[in-house]
Amino acid sequence: MCGIIGYIGKKEALPILIKGLRRLEYRGYDSAGVAIIEDSNIKRIRSVGRIDNLADKIKNEKFTGHVGIAHTRWATHGGVTEENAHPHFGCDEKLVIVHNGIIENYREIKEMLGNKHTFKTETDTEILAHLIENNYTGDLRLAVEKSLTMVRGTYALVAMHSDHPDTIVAARLGSPLVVGVNTDNGHDEYFIASDASPILSYTKKVIFLDDNEVLEISGGKMNTFNIKDEIVQKNIEEIEWDEAEAQKQGFPHFMLKEIFDQPRVFVDAIRGRYDLKNGISFLGGINMTEEEMHSVNKIILIACGTASYAGMVGKYAFERLAGIPTTVEVSSEFRYSDPIVDDKTLVFVLSQSGETADTLAALREAKRKGAFVRGVVNVVGSTIARETDGGTYIHAGPELAVASTKAYTNTVAVLLLYALQFGRLKRTSLATGERILKALLEIPEKMTKILEQSDKIKVIAEKYKNTKNMMFIGRGVNYPVALEGALKLKEISYVHADAFPGGELKHGHIALLSTDFPIFAIMTKNQLYDKMRSNVEEIKARKAPVILIATEGDVGTKDLSEDIIYVPETMELLEPLLNSVALQLFAYHTAVTLGRDVDRPRNLAKSVTVE
Ligand code: F6R
């Protein structure tokens, strides 16, 4: 949700900023802009649309400055216009800022600033720029600090002032900021960004700003301050991801690359976290004594979107293996509900980005109520990872396509390991534990078998490309798979799709069926196979086209559909790890066939850091 990059060092800032914006484009991409200090003036250029538009506009300009900030926008306040694009100036165009987040009391601030200031845009950010300008008496950091005490809302903010050409000031509350520190071997440069991806080609050494901290880099020195303007000691951390991992590596889209990453990164999710001989898994991140684990009488999995569907798979696993009542709550609902949570409740917050605003708020609510709160997160050092009292990284590597794929499967993998960990403490036998682990170890090879069918799935996607609506059905553990399949399809291809448990069809939804309303049914061989088959027969009787996911060798499916994707057999609880891969490929190929912008679908952003 908006991408920020800032640079201060000895190199020319512009190429670094433009390259950085390209890496951050997945966070928002309706407009972009850059501002650089040139000979004690600030030069700014902005453009509507993708970074390519901005790069085009800039190509005949001369920028030589070594300090600059840039932004790629996902509009919240004010339409998508060049005027509303960041960076934003104060009145005298000496102070400039980029901002991610929402200033809730921007109207009050605007009123307070009154006629002294002239506003040119509809954005909350411009008002923040004027507020800082108003509070500026010669020290940029102090002006930022003072202004932030007057602001209600969330922000990641980076500011520059032409009176201080060797200074950048940044601050965060609720929206992430990472600072790359490259001061070895004669380098003397710092990068400030919304996440580490634009920094990795220069340095892996970073600090993560925390809420209510203000950073000042001035004259080659970096200091972090708290809200009382006291210096805070920050640890420099080392990021594990390398740059190559964040590239497309020959795939036409990040999404396809990330789908194909799955067999490899799945191994990273489970490596070193189980003992096959004893049929156990051990995730140290649970950070609970055995006694505390035994005391847990309720589990709540909190997440949004795809992460919540991964959570629904986790629910089946916790209940089946550990016998602990488990619910899945959508973060935006949880935070405003009256959750029944106490010190025997274990809450897992699930988030690829680790920055989703609603999930973060839900986490804080659960902590306030005294639950054990643990994270299952992909982005290392993200806010959710830091605010939970334990938890586990899913090790999916950078996920840059807006549609989540490998983070889903790796979240499911980690939840299965947690369920087994609790299960073996409670009621799961050694033999079952061993069977689950063996089945998990076979997953990468089985995923590969599905990936090898990509071209076949493409043919099916092309056949149905003119479909306006599609329904996905599944039962048991494949119901969340159906939900995820429908979400994937709608978000990247814009084909309307819904999902229901197969048994629900007769209770209303079946009225929609017709010859031009295809149904995607997940009918793999498990304990609900016969039930699901009856549901598919009912659909066939209404002459609606059926696409099937079926288990390899299930020849009895041939009379039900011409379009069948066969997947290898696995244990029922693990089926989502395979079936979802087939649905990801179906959504991907549909979107490509329809000429959609697969990695950056309209209206969406990767990391939803606003409520
Ligand atoms: C869908 C998708 C979203 C995210 C959701 C939560 O493909 O990516 O539904 O799953 O916005 O995001 P995280 O996991 O970052 O909290």
Side-chain angles (χ1 to χ4, degrees):
M1 196 124 300
C2 297
I4 288 177
I5 167 94
Y7 175 77
I8 180 161
K10 294 178 187 158
K11 299 187 187 122
E12 277 189 18
L14 183 67
I16 294 170
L17 296 178
I18 296 292
K19 187 174 162 196
L21 283 182
R22 290 191 195 283
R23 292 282 154 77
L24 293 168
E25 199 172 17
Y26 73 93
R27 299 178 67 89
Y29 31 81
D30 55 42
S31 52
V34 56
I36 290 181
I37 301 190
E38 295 276 313
D39 304 326
S40 297
N41 286 314
I42 291 174
K43 202 161 152 192
R44 172 183 72 168
I45 300 210
R46 299 173 296 169
S47 161
V48 166
R50 300 291 159 94
I51 309 302
D52 280 344
N53 297 2
L54 180 70
D56 244 24
K57 201 165 169 185
I58 278 172
K59 74 174 181 262
N60 298 323
E61 299 279 338
K62 205 162 163 38
F63 282 90
T64 53
H66 301 235
V67 182
I69 55 179
H71 186 271
T72 176
R73 180 170 185 243
W74 188 84
T76 55
H77 292 71
V80 178
T81 62
E82 189 174 319
E83 211 48 344
N84 288 338
H86 300 217
H88 286 291
F89 278 130
C91 284
D92 62 9
E93 305 204 347
K94 294 181 90 164
L95 173 111
V96 69
I97 68 168
V98 288
H99 163 232
N100 175 14
I102 292 180
I103 305 300
E104 285 168 9
N105 57 339
Y106 75 102
R107 284 195 195 86
E108 292 156 39
I109 296 172
K110 190 173 181 185
E111 227 163 84
M112 185 200 85
L113 293 170
N115 298 335
K116 278 203 296 181
H117 290 255
T118 314
F119 302 97
K120 297 187 178 142
T121 80
E122 304 157 67
T123 65
D124 52 344
T125 301
E126 191 199 12
I127 289 161
L128 181 57
H130 284 268
L131 179 66
I132 299 171
E133 179 178 57
N134 202 57
N135 289 325
Y136 176 75
T137 53
D139 186 319
L140 180 59
R141 186 186 84 242
L142 293 181
V144 168
E145 284 174 358
K146 180 165 181 200
S147 304
L148 294 180
T149 60
M150 303 163 82
V151 153
R152 222 175 40 242
T154 56
Y155 48 79
L157 164 81
V158 189
M160 303 189 304
H161 198 292
S162 56
D163 286 351
H164 307 279
D166 66 346
T167 301
I168 275 192
V169 171
R172 98 157 245 179
L173 178 65
S175 286
L177 274 182
V178 185
V179 185
V181 182
N182 190 18
T183 47
D184 296 342
N185 307 325
H187 288 287
D188 190 4
E189 57 186 359
Y190 298 88
F191 307 79
I192 304 171
S194 301
D195 65 45
S197 57
I199 297 175
L200 290 174
S201 33
Y202 309 98
T203 180
K204 289 188 178 175
K205 291 195 174 141
V206 297
I207 66 160
F208 295 99
L209 270 198
D210 284 309
D211 278 352
N212 294 311
E213 287 181 349
V214 175
L215 173 96
E216 181 185 64
I217 302 165
S218 189
K221 288 208 175 65
M222 176 178 74
N223 280 305
T224 308
F225 299 82
N226 64 17
I227 209 155
K228 297 187 203 137
D229 199 43
E230 296 158 342
I231 290 199
V232 181
Q233 291 309 327
K234 301 290 287 182
N235 289 334
I236 295 188
E237 298 179 36
E238 192 104 6
I239 297 256
E240 283 171 27
W241 296 350
D242 65 22
E243 217 203 340
E245 265 192 286
Q247 299 307 302
K248 282 190 202 149
Q249 295 170 5
F251 286 91
H253 297 101
F254 278 114
M255 182 176 176
L256 192 62
K257 181 230 162 211
E258 288 159 11
I259 291 172
F260 274 76
D261 274 347
Q262 287 173 110
R264 181 176 56 84
V265 298
F266 184 84
V267 176
D268 297 336
I270 61 171
R271 182 184 292 119
R273 293 174 166 175
Y274 60 87
D275 168 1
L276 190 56
K277 204 162 86 246
N278 291 304
I280 54 168
S281 47
F282 41 82
L283 295 157
I286 192 69
N287 199 18
M288 291 165 83
T289 62
E290 222 172 278
E291 200 183 328
E292 284 171 333
M293 287 175 77
H294 270 294
S295 75
V296 170
N297 62 13
K298 177 159 78 169
I299 293 177
I300 307 179
L301 305 167
I302 304 177
C304 300
T306 289
S308 74
Y309 300 147
M312 285 172 76
V313 178
K315 168 187 159 72
Y316 286 92
F318 279 113
E319 293 191 337
R320 200 168 289 177
L321 300 181
I324 305 174
T326 303
T327 55
V328 181
E329 309 276 349
V330 170
S331 316
S332 52
E333 290 297 312
F334 181 88
R335 65 183 292 193
Y336 293 115
S337 63
D338 296 309
I340 302 168
V341 168
D342 59 24
D343 61 357
K344 295 192 170 44
T345 309
L346 171 59
V347 168
F348 285 101
V349 282
L350 320 175
S351 177
Q352 186 286 129
S353 61
E355 302 292 348
T356 302
D358 284 321
T359 308
L360 188 54
L363 175 170
R364 290 174 181 158
E365 187 59 24
K367 264 178 112 171
R368 204 171 294 129
K369 298 233 154 78
F372 295 102
V373 183
R374 304 293 180 257
V376 177
V377 169
N378 191 34
V379 177
V380 175
S382 55
T383 312
I384 291 177
R386 284 178 296 130
E387 288 204 15
T388 37
D389 303 320
T392 299
Y393 286 119
I394 61 171
H395 294 318
E399 191 182 68
L400 299 186
V402 161
S404 186
T405 52
K406 57 181 180 171
Y408 166 85
T409 36
N410 273 26
T411 302
V412 170
V414 166
L415 291 177
L416 287 167
L417 291 180
Y418 268 126
L420 181 59
Q421 188 165 353
F422 276 88
R424 291 287 285 125
L425 264 191
K426 298 211 159 210
R427 62 179 194 176
T428 300
S429 67
L430 166 65
T432 306
E434 219 181 323
R435 223 153 51 83
I436 291 172
L437 289 171
K438 277 194 179 139
L440 271 177
L441 291 173
E442 288 168 359
I443 289 293
E445 203 185 319
K446 292 182 175 175
M447 280 174 166
T448 304
K449 282 191 159 182
I450 299 169
L451 296 174
E452 283 165 2
Q453 297 180 64
S454 181
D455 287 344
K456 180 183 159 194
I457 296 173
K458 182 174 169 199
V459 172
I460 301 177
E462 282 169 354
K463 176 171 167 187
Y464 290 95
K465 72 171 183 201
N466 294 321
T467 295
K468 298 274 174 290
N469 301 289
M470 195 173 269
M471 195 188 286
F472 289 70
I473 57 168
R475 299 189 74 136
V477 81
N478 283 312
Y479 169 48
V481 173
L483 286 164
E484 170 59 4
L487 178 63
K488 229 48 345 151
L489 183 66
K490 72 182 120 180
E491 70 178 325
I492 59 167
S493 73
Y494 319 145
V495 172
H496 171 246
D498 265 324
F500 303 98
E504 270 292 290
L505 270 195
K506 289 196 279 295
H507 301 284
H509 318 290
I510 203 164
L512 289 170
L513 300 193
S514 69
T515 48
D516 58 0
F517 198 127
I519 307 292
F520 210 124
I522 302 142
M523 203 186 78
T524 32
K525 281 270 184 188
N526 57 38
Q527 56 175 333
L528 289 167
Y529 176 80
D530 291 335
K531 302 284 172 206
M532 193 63 201
R533 195 176 166 103
S534 308
N535 297 141
V536 174
E537 309 264 7
E538 287 155 13
I539 295 162
K540 251 192 90 70
R542 270 85 189 169
K543 304 213 167 8
V546 177
I547 311 167
L548 277 185
I549 293 188
T551 304
E552 263 172 16
D554 183 8
V555 283
T557 49
K558 292 237 167 20
D559 56 326
L560 293 175
S561 172
E562 289 172 0
D563 304 306
I564 307 176
I565 304 166
Y566 287 106
V567 296
E569 190 164 9
T570 185
M571 284 179 78
E572 184 173 337
L573 270 180
L574 276 56
E575 284 186 5
L577 293 167
L578 300 179
N579 297 348
S580 296
V581 175
L583 294 180
Q584 293 164 357
L585 284 170
F586 178 76
Y588 171 79
H589 287 303
T590 305
V592 172
T593 305
L594 292 173
R596 308 297 191 224
D597 190 345
V598 174
D599 284 338
R600 294 175 200 120
R602 69 183 180 205
N603 305 334
L604 291 172
K606 181 71 181 162
S607 178
V608 186
T609 52
V610 292
E611 182 175 349

